[in-house]
Amino acid sequence: MVMLFSSDCFVLFYLKICGFDQLYNWQQNQNRHKEFILHDGPPYANGKPHVGHALNKILKDITNRYKLLRGYKIHYVPGWDCHGLPIELKALQKQSNKNLTPLQIRTLARNYAQEAIESQKAVFKRWGVMADWENQCYFTFNAKYEVNQLEIFFKMFEMGLVYQDFMPVYWSPSSRTALAEAELEYNKEHKSKAAYVRFTISKPSTELNSIIGWAGVAFDGMMYRNMLNGKELPFLPAHHVTPGKGTGLVHTAPVHGHDDYRVAQEHGLSLACMVDETGKYTWDAGKDLYGKQVCLDADDTVIDMLGDDVLQTSDFIHSYPYDWRTKKPVIIRASRQWFVDTKKLKEKAIGLYSPFVSASDKTIIDHVKSLFNQHGSDCWWNLTEEELIPKEELSKIGLGGHADFVKGTDILDIWFDSGVSWTTLPEDKKADLYMEGIDQFGGWFQSSLLTSIAVRNQAPYKIHGLINMYSSYHNRAENKAKDPSYGADVLRFWVARNSLAPQILIGSSVLERCNNEVFEVTELYEDYKYGSVLSLIERFMNSQVSAFYNTITKDRMYCTEKEGSSRINCQFVQYHVLNSLIKALAPVLPHLVEEVTRYCPWIDTSKGDSSVFKSGWLMSEPTWNNPDIEHLIKPVLDIKEDFYSAILSETPAEFDLIINASSRLYHLLKQLQSEEMSSFSPLTEILQTSTTSITTKQLYVTPDDTLTVDGLCKVHMKEGFFEPERYILVISPALKYVCERCRRYTSDHSNSPCERCMTVMAGEWNN
């Protein structure tokens, strides 16, 4: 579909005339007994839409529109994730003043997020995504949403599911923040420095003095000297060290490795961290290392400091974690963080940051919630401790003065922030479907599942769909899809295509195939196989409708009597085929089908409720399912295949055809042509010949310019049983002249219409 409308025309035609902007509210007000809830995982309010947004939103919209046609009331509330460092970094890019207060940064970030939301919202509407975009959206920076987050966090805290600890976490020096597992990407070509280092043993063990070779027990009680600081340190056993790689001896950094940390805890080692938030060594590491960057210049400095004790160095290529936003290496660095005790939930752990206050009494939390409702979360920075927790509130619970409280500066993890979006669902209800990209599985999806189970003891969804919807565009900011060159429905078609017949007769046979397609299309929509839906419809349109039915009925539509029964029968079939195609394609191509509907003569577009989506799903008549029609047509198609193979690329209308058939086949063909010879029978229409003759009489003499073909077809006898029947085709050039009107070889005179056309024209003149 080529885009025919300007932006203004699009708004007028689709949004106003076709009612795209009112469809969601219309269906919400209908008295429907079935409800379908699709929860929208919030996209990041960070920049303009790209192909990933298209995949996400359009797949959801196809699902919703299909369910709407099936009679469901749709509940779909779009949302946006409005917090996080990436938004702050984008908002600060054009700021020359780097000494901003937290409130100033928050204001800039909020303004940037709001601009991104409006930009994305306009494009989502352009793509035809059905929703109440003006009144029913959720935003994670809204006061009500933030209050719900605080409530959920406190409930989890009360249940003992939240705790604070000092332990190694993935840390991104480039964005100065801790990262969850879901926020990591792995670079398989990362280059590190490997080194074999010699250490002086200051206290050998008894076993080492008495054995040859290496064994774990040989190091019990043995000490070595650290050449950088002169400290005497022990050898420690650890399960994560194996002799299969390197020497079987590895350096341990308790605050920079998960396994190292566990070993240090077990043996009471120091857990001091000498690397700051930017990944640089602090003064505690000594003047030589101070300010050096881990994984960069610090490596060479350490090797230089070790001197001759470095026996060998080499580059080591391996898989290493990177920050998914900055695309730069991360480190493991211990810091004090808040965590969910997943052992109690029996789910995979994800890191969470602490919320707002170091007191746990519900009275205080409720008071803070009321402040958030009134002023938003900015009040945490606007108000003093005395204003945040008034003296009368403290006296209610018998706690001390304000000096006993500290205003926390930790923040909630962005996955927790967006993961509790299930609170926007209708009260006490699950979503029927979660449909997000597979890259959301470890973060948003897990957080959503974890928090819902923790607080409600149930999953937030009935069915979840994890779609590989991001692999084609990941990290390609230039891959925009705001205004596709060929229109929104071409983009929708591509999305559906990438998510996820024999020719028969005239009227009844096409309707029978259409009936089968109806059931197949419905099943595919139910299974969310939208690509297969389009493939099925394409095959039906190309092979059944275009290549077969429209081709063989072209003569009857253009050249027979306007009100003749054969032409009206064809219009009846075309009406039902078109109506079925409109309904089947509507979820995927809503703009196209609404436009087509405006030109359907049987639809009164003057009414305001003529939208396809207000008319229900496609239906089929039981009478269309007639296997006898297929059994009748199948032998004719076998004959047609042999006939076309014999004439090669010649036009079939230039030939007369005689079918010398067996008795059983002859009586079958008589159902499609009662005369011995005809130019206008259904049989001739299917074969597209000039004339067709059927006979059982043997032909002893054939003209020189004829072609004879022996053939075999199978005739249906009873259920599951077919009998082979022989025939001979005698093919000869058409004897009659080309009709000046219908262009078929059916005229008795040159440069003159055929008898059929003369009769039709005479009838028109008389009228």
Side-chain angles (χ1 to χ4, degrees):
M1 180 185 75
V2 177
M3 186 165 61
L4 302 177
F5 303 108
S6 68
S7 179
D8 291 340
C9 290
F10 165 81
V11 172
L12 175 63
F13 183 78
Y14 290 114
L15 297 189
K16 303 302 180 185
I17 297 177
C18 297
F20 268 54
D21 59 341
Q22 296 299 320
L23 183 60
Y24 184 84
N25 289 331
W26 170 85
Q27 60 90 29
Q28 281 278 299
N29 293 324
Q30 298 300 300
N31 185 20
R32 299 190 171 196
H33 301 295
K34 300 183 294 183
E35 184 178 41
F36 180 77
I37 302 173
L38 196 162
H39 179 51
D40 188 38
Y44 216 43
N46 183 24
K48 296 180 180 180
H50 47 57
V51 174
H53 289 97
L55 287 162
N56 185 300
K57 294 298 180 186
I58 291 173
L59 284 173
K60 292 174 181 176
D61 189 62
I62 292 172
T63 303
N64 282 337
R65 288 180 179 272
Y66 167 69
K67 292 295 184 179
L68 175 61
L69 286 166
R70 294 307 305 269
Y72 288 84
K73 179 182 289 189
I74 307 302
H75 181 93
Y76 174 71
V77 177
W80 275 270
D81 184 352
C82 311
H83 292 135
L85 187 64
I87 292 177
E88 294 177 9
L89 293 176
K90 282 289 186 72
L92 293 172
Q93 279 181 352
K94 298 180 180 180
Q95 292 296 315
S96 57
N97 181 10
K98 303 301 181 182
N99 298 314
L100 300 175
T101 66
L103 269 178
Q104 290 173 322
I105 295 174
R106 285 171 62 83
T107 300
L108 289 171
R110 185 184 182 95
N111 292 339
Y112 176 84
Q114 287 176 325
E115 291 176 5
I117 289 169
E118 292 305 314
S119 172
Q120 293 179 17
K121 183 191 296 185
V123 176
F124 296 161
K125 292 166 69 174
R126 173 67 182 88
W127 292 340
V129 179
M130 180 182 63
D132 182 355
W133 293 104
E134 305 308 321
N135 303 302
Q136 297 187 55
C137 297
Y138 74 89
F139 312 97
T140 62
F141 58 25
N142 276 4
K144 182 179 179 181
Y145 189 95
E146 292 177 331
V147 167
N148 286 336
Q149 287 186 72
L150 185 54
E151 177 67 24
I152 291 170
F153 187 92
F154 184 68
K155 286 181 178 179
M156 295 176 67
F157 184 86
E158 283 188 310
M159 289 187 285
L161 298 176
V162 177
Y163 67 97
Q164 193 178 38
D165 202 354
F166 180 83
M167 65 174 62
V169 294
Y170 289 106
W171 187 271
S172 172
S174 56
S175 56
R176 302 187 184 184
T177 185
L179 299 179
E181 286 273 4
E183 297 173 297
L184 301 177
E185 292 177 343
Y186 283 85
N187 179 2
K188 295 181 179 179
E189 301 300 321
H190 180 80
K191 182 167 68 174
S192 296
K193 183 78 71 176
Y196 286 84
V197 180
R198 177 177 58 195
F199 289 91
T200 301
I201 296 177
S202 59
K203 180 184 176 182
S205 65
T206 305
E207 290 82 358
L208 186 62
N209 288 331
S210 62
I211 64 172
I212 297 176
W214 297 88
V217 69
F219 298 95
D220 288 346
M222 191 163 69
M223 305 291 285
Y224 76 97
R225 191 173 304 282
N226 185 331
M227 292 82 73
L228 298 181
N229 56 25
K231 291 183 179 180
E232 193 174 63
L233 300 170
F235 285 79
L236 300 173
H239 294 294
H240 69 280
V241 181
T242 60
K245 292 183 178 179
T247 63
L249 295 172
V250 298
H251 175 253
T252 294
V255 295
H256 298 291
H258 302 296
D259 292 323
D260 302 45
Y261 177 79
R262 284 189 286 270
V263 172
Q265 276 193 317
E266 182 180 346
H267 296 278
L269 300 184
S270 170
L271 296 175
C273 183
M274 295 182 287
V275 176
D276 65 16
E277 293 183 349
T278 65
K280 295 179 179 179
Y281 280 105
T282 66
W283 188 255
D284 294 335
K287 63 182 180 64
D288 292 327
L289 282 173
Y290 174 66
K292 301 292 185 180
Q293 185 77 40
V294 175
C295 297
L296 292 177
D297 53 347
D299 290 356
D300 291 333
T301 300
V302 170
I303 290 174
D304 290 341
M305 292 172 67
L306 291 171
D308 293 339
D309 289 311
V310 178
L311 304 180
Q312 180 183 337
T313 63
S314 62
D315 289 335
F316 177 51
I317 306 300
H318 62 117
S319 179
Y320 191 83
Y322 275 53
D323 185 331
W324 73 326
R325 297 185 188 90
T326 64
K327 313 305 174 189
K328 293 183 179 180
V330 305
I331 61 175
I332 297 176
R333 172 179 177 269
S335 63
R336 188 163 294 280
Q337 304 288 338
W338 293 82
F339 298 90
V340 170
D341 187 349
T342 52
K343 290 182 179 179
K344 295 183 179 180
L345 290 172
K346 296 183 179 179
E347 295 287 348
K348 179 183 177 181
I350 62 171
L352 301 172
Y353 298 132
S354 166
F356 309 100
V357 70
S358 60
S360 61
D361 192 276
K362 192 175 188 302
T363 303
I364 296 177
I365 297 295
D366 288 341
H367 178 71
V368 173
K369 285 165 52 182
S370 69
L371 292 177
F372 275 33
N373 267 323
Q374 296 175 50
H375 310 292
S377 58
D378 280 354
C379 70
W380 192 255
W381 286 266
N382 282 328
L383 303 180
T384 64
E385 284 85 347
E386 290 80 3
E387 292 171 313
L388 285 170
I389 311 175
K391 188 175 182 180
E392 56 269 22
E393 295 295 334
L394 293 177
S395 63
K396 289 179 183 179
I397 53 178
L399 293 178
H402 293 100
D404 297 327
F405 294 88
V406 177
K407 186 194 292 187
T409 57
D410 293 341
I411 60 172
L412 279 168
D413 182 83
I414 58 168
W415 293 117
F416 189 94
D417 186 34
S418 60
V420 298
S421 60
W422 52 263
T423 59
T424 64
L425 296 172
E427 189 173 358
D428 298 327
K429 288 189 177 181
K430 291 183 177 183
D432 290 285
L433 179 65
Y434 267 30
M435 180 184 285
E436 299 298 331
I438 199 167
D439 65 330
Q440 296 294 301
F441 180 77
W444 176 81
F445 177 83
Q446 288 283 1
S447 179
S448 184
L449 179 63
L450 183 150
T451 53
S452 180
I453 290 177
V455 175
R456 302 195 302 173
N457 200 30
Q458 65 176 14
Y461 55 81
K462 296 177 183 176
I463 301 173
H464 66 81
L466 296 171
I467 303 164
N468 189 17
M469 60 170 64
Y470 294 103
S471 59
S472 62
Y473 81 93
H474 197 49
N475 301 331
R476 294 178 59 192
E478 75 279 9
N479 198 357
K480 302 292 191 294
K482 177 183 177 182
D483 197 9
S485 302
Y486 297 98
D489 274 4
V490 173
L491 178 64
R492 292 177 67 101
F493 184 93
W494 175 83
V495 168
R497 167 69 78 198
N498 289 278
S499 36
L500 312 156
Q503 301 172 326
I504 316 179
L505 165 78
I506 317 185
S508 297
S509 63
V510 172
L511 289 178
E512 180 197 359
R513 184 59 190 155
C514 186
N515 178 74
N516 296 335
E517 300 284 0
V518 166
F519 290 110
E520 290 185 54
V521 164
T522 302
E523 290 175 1
L524 291 172
Y525 267 118
E526 290 290 341
D527 292 337
Y528 307 102
K529 297 179 179 178
Y530 304 137
S532 298
V533 168
L534 294 179
S535 297
L536 184 64
I537 293 174
E538 280 186 87
R539 288 196 302 271
F540 176 69
M541 293 175 66
N542 292 336
S543 63
Q544 304 296 329
V545 178
S546 178
F548 180 69
Y549 188 71
N550 287 348
T551 298
I552 68 173
T553 59
K554 189 181 299 182
D555 177 74
R556 123 166 55 155
M557 289 301 298
Y558 285 105
C559 300
T560 60
E561 298 91 342
K562 184 176 181 180
E563 303 297 332
S565 60
S566 63
R567 187 172 184 273
I568 291 175
N569 288 342
C570 186
Q571 288 178 312
F572 175 82
V573 173
Q574 290 177 336
Y575 160 78
H576 284 290
V577 169
L578 178 59
N579 196 49
S580 296
L581 289 174
I582 285 174
K583 296 295 181 66
L585 286 170
V588 179
L589 307 176
H591 303 89
L592 175 64
V593 299
E594 291 287 13
E595 185 176 350
V596 169
T597 300
R598 301 291 143 181
Y599 295 93
C600 293
W602 61 86
I603 295 178
D604 183 3
T605 56
S606 64
K607 299 179 181 180
D609 59 350
S610 57
S611 171
V612 172
F613 294 94
K614 298 180 180 181
S615 59
W617 187 235
L618 50 85
M619 302 295 292
S620 62
E621 293 293 334
T623 54
W624 296 354
N625 187 17
N626 187 353
D628 292 338
I629 296 293
E630 184 174 3
H631 296 152
L632 173 62
I633 299 304
K634 184 61 174 67
V636 180
L637 297 180
D638 291 340
I639 293 172
K640 183 177 183 178
E641 184 178 356
D642 283 344
F643 171 48
Y644 278 41
S645 296
I647 64 174
L648 300 176
S649 60
E650 298 291 331
T651 303
E654 297 178 354
F655 295 93
D656 293 333
L657 178 66
I658 300 174
I659 305 174
N660 188 288
S662 66
S663 177
R664 183 179 288 115
L665 178 60
Y666 174 80
H667 289 292
L668 182 74
L669 297 178
K670 290 287 282 185
Q671 297 180 54
L672 298 174
Q673 179 172 303
S674 58
E675 309 95 331
E676 290 290 330
M677 182 179 71
S678 175
S679 294
F680 304 103
S681 67
L683 180 61
T684 300
E685 192 173 52
I686 297 173
L687 297 173
Q688 292 287 286
T689 58
S690 173
T691 62
T692 303
S693 302
I694 53 176
T695 181
T696 58
K697 298 177 182 179
Q698 187 173 358
L699 302 176
Y700 294 101
V701 179
T702 58
D704 293 337
D705 57 352
T706 61
L707 178 65
T708 302
V709 177
D710 291 331
L712 184 70
C713 64
K714 292 183 178 180
V715 175
H716 183 262
M717 302 298 295
K718 58 184 179 180
E719 190 65 33
F721 178 70
F722 293 84
E723 186 71 26
E725 297 293 335
R726 295 190 176 277
Y727 56 84
I728 299 173
L729 304 182
V730 180
I731 306 167
S732 59
L735 294 177
K736 294 189 176 184
Y737 298 95
V738 174
C739 170
E740 291 294 297
R741 180 173 179 268
C742 67
R743 311 306 300 172
R744 295 183 61 202
Y745 288 81
T746 53
S747 177
D748 294 326
H749 306 283
S750 176
N751 301 320
S752 173
C754 66
E755 184 178 348
R756 187 274 308 267
C757 288
M758 290 291 291
T759 301
V760 172
M761 290 189 293
E764 292 176 351
W765 292 333
N766 292 334
N767 294 331

